[in-house]
Amino acid sequence: MPEPTLLVLDTDPSPRLGRLTGRARIRYTDEAGLAARLPEADVLLVWDFASDAVRKAWPGEGPRPAWVHTASAGVDRLLCPELTASDTVVTNARGIFERPVAEYVTGLVLAFAKDLPGTLELQRRRQWRHRESTRLAGSRAVVVGAGPIGREITRLLIALGVQVALVGRTARRTIHGTEDLDRLTALADWVICAAPLTGSTHAMFDARFFGLMQPSARFINVGRGPLVVEDDLAEALRRRWIAGAALDVFEREPLGPESPLWDVPDLIVSPHMSGDTAGWRDRLSEQFVAMYELWAAGERLPNVVDKQRGYVPVREPGEQPGE
């Protein structure tokens, strides 16, 4: 039986796939060559997960890989109608980014509550100005997105004494549905977005939403950039509808030096780094190799994406499929 062909949509540094030597014919391609090489691939590893090349190349002639794995949590850059309708299995990198992102969000919440940006700015100016900070224990947070990242954020915030309402697509057990979001937002000190990008979540955080928030509240987005109407958020900050915000993801990345977002008051801008801790690429490589071994053995793959929903469904203990 010939070795399966593993095609890697590559970017530097490349994945560490040495353990697959002799078990797969590994081929590498860039965006320009992807469409021509897709028909020869049994498996596609989307190592360059910031690329839209798969979505553009998939609608074409010839066979397509039976399995596509992306080295990211989100799959919005992959899915197109043809891939969604196909029998191809799509998996993601769930299990790699949850804790780092949750730690990053917790750091932002603490930085806002204790006014660390203000302290650093006053230090830069050599100004001694005593202030009072905010007590986290007893404050209220809404976490939008009930996947693994949202759940880990919830766990860490609860450990700090924050009262957290977790909001998902539908209400179930300890999770609120989207019908509760407006009511919860109006009471929240912190609104944290960790939702996937789908047709129903695109641009959901807009002027109407920011108008619901308390003037003392802060907004944090570690989900996907297009979830937020950036101009509306900037206006809400300029008009002091809300006290502050932090964005780690943006509609267009990288954020160019000409973007007005750099100068919006009380906005923290970071370069899509919340999930990237030292050694993260090695962990992504190890995860894929382990999944490839399962696939080659005919075993069931973890992290299978529901292509209609656009994410990996997460079930609570005892919850049945479809709930």
Side-chain angles (χ1 to χ4, degrees), residues 109 113 134-142 157-158 160-165 187-190 214:
V109 169
T134 301
R135 180 181 170 90
L136 268 184
S139 65
R140 297 180 177 182
V142 175
L157 291 181
I158 288 174
L160 293 173
V162 180
Q163 300 174 31
V164 185
L187 301 172
D189 302 293
W190 315 96
Q214 300 185 81

Side-chain angles (χ1 to χ4, degrees), residues 181-192:
L181 182 56
D182 285 2
R183 173 180 60 82
L184 294 168
T185 295
L187 301 172
D189 302 293
W190 315 96
V191 177
I192 299 155

Side-chain angles (χ1 to χ4, degrees), residues 3-9 15-21 23-29 37-38 40-47 65 67-69 285 288-289 292-293 295:
E3 297 171 350
T5 297
L6 166 59
L7 181 63
V8 181
L9 178 58
R16 301 181 62 169
L17 303 176
R19 276 173 48 192
L20 298 183
T21 302
R23 304 163 69 182
R25 290 192 302 271
I26 303 175
R27 303 290 184 263
Y28 296 87
T29 186
R37 306 203 71 170
L38 272 178
E40 70 187 58
D42 298 295
V43 178
L44 173 65
L45 168 57
V46 185
W47 189 248
W67 170 33
V68 173
H69 177 77
S285 297
F288 175 74
V289 169
Y292 183 91
E293 290 170 343
W295 178 81

Side-chain angles (χ1 to χ4, degrees), residues 1 21 33 52 65 67 75 79 87 90 103 107 131 158 167 197 207 222-223 236 244 273 280 288 294 305 315-316:
M1 180 178 177
T21 302
D52 293 320
W67 170 33
V75 297
L79 295 181
D87 293 332
V90 176
E103 291 174 353
R131 293 104 66 215
I158 288 174
V167 177
L197 177 60
V222 290
M273 59 180 284
W280 65 284
F288 175 74
L294 289 174
V305 173
R315 301 189 188 100
E316 297 185 76

Side-chain angles (χ1 to χ4, degrees), residues 1-314:
M1 180 178 177
E3 297 171 350
T5 297
L6 166 59
L7 181 63
V8 181
L9 178 58
D10 203 15
T11 189
D12 186 51
S14 295
R16 301 181 62 169
L17 303 176
R19 276 173 48 192
L20 298 183
T21 302
R23 304 163 69 182
R25 290 192 302 271
I26 303 175
R27 303 290 184 263
Y28 296 87
T29 186
D30 58 12
E31 292 185 344
L34 179 62
R37 306 203 71 170
L38 272 178
E40 70 187 58
D42 298 295
V43 178
L44 173 65
L45 168 57
V46 185
W47 189 248
D48 185 3
F49 54 78
S51 169
D52 293 320
V54 175
R55 191 167 57 200
K56 296 174 181 177
W58 198 271
E61 298 298 325
R64 291 294 181 259
W67 170 33
V68 173
H69 177 77
T70 179
S72 65
V75 297
D76 49 279
R77 289 187 177 275
L78 299 181
L79 295 181
C80 60
E82 292 82 1
L83 175 53
T84 299
S86 73
D87 293 332
T88 296
V89 174
V90 176
T91 57
N92 74 352
R94 185 176 69 174
I96 301 296
F97 299 108
E98 289 85 344
R99 182 72 182 201
V101 173
E103 291 174 353
Y104 197 87
V105 169
T106 303
L108 287 170
V109 169
L110 285 165
F112 277 129
K114 305 309 174 186
D115 192 25
L116 295 185
T119 295
L120 293 172
E121 177 60 21
L122 290 169
Q123 178 182 345
R124 187 186 67 81
R125 298 179 185 176
R126 297 172 178 255
Q127 294 181 7
W128 180 281
R129 185 186 302 166
H130 182 269
R131 293 104 66 215
E132 294 178 344
S133 63
T134 301
R135 180 181 170 90
L136 268 184
S139 65
R140 297 180 177 182
V142 175
V143 177
V144 184
I149 291 175
R151 294 179 189 224
E152 189 64 20
I153 292 170
T154 296
R155 280 190 283 271
L156 291 192
L157 291 181
I158 288 174
L160 293 173
V162 180
Q163 300 174 31
V164 185
L166 183 59
V167 177
R169 188 175 62 95
T170 57
R172 55 199 188 276
R173 293 175 172 81
T174 60
I175 300 172
H176 296 269
T178 53
E179 65 275 7
D180 294 333
L181 182 56
D182 285 2
R183 173 180 60 82
L184 294 168
T185 295
L187 301 172
D189 302 293
W190 315 96
V191 177
I192 299 155
C193 171
L197 177 60
T198 67
S200 62
T201 62
H202 183 274
M204 68 180 292
F205 299 102
D206 56 9
R208 185 201 70 83
F209 182 89
F210 298 124
L212 296 172
M213 294 175 62
Q214 300 185 81
S216 59
R218 274 93 170 194
F219 175 80
I220 297 171
N221 184 21
V222 290
R224 281 292 183 265
L227 296 169
V228 177
V229 181
E230 292 171 351
D231 288 345
D232 289 359
L233 174 60
E235 187 69 6
L237 288 165
R238 292 189 186 102
R239 293 183 178 274
R240 300 190 181 279
W241 290 359
I242 61 176
L247 299 178
D248 187 54
V249 288
F250 300 86
E251 186 167 4
R252 294 178 181 85
E253 297 182 6
L255 193 67
E258 74 288 348
S259 173
L261 291 175
W262 294 107
D263 299 316
V264 174
D266 302 307
L267 174 63
I268 295 176
V269 171
S270 59
H272 204 149
M273 59 180 284
S274 62
D276 301 345
T277 53
W280 65 284
R281 291 184 179 88
D282 287 344
R283 290 190 288 275
L284 285 170
S285 297
E286 291 165 4
Q287 180 189 53
F288 175 74
V289 169
M291 292 175 71
Y292 183 91
E293 290 170 343
L294 289 174
W295 178 81
E299 301 289 336
R300 181 171 180 158
L301 286 170
N303 299 0
V304 174
V305 173
D306 182 324
K307 293 184 289 183
Q308 297 297 329
R309 297 185 186 183
Y311 54 88
V312 178
V314 179

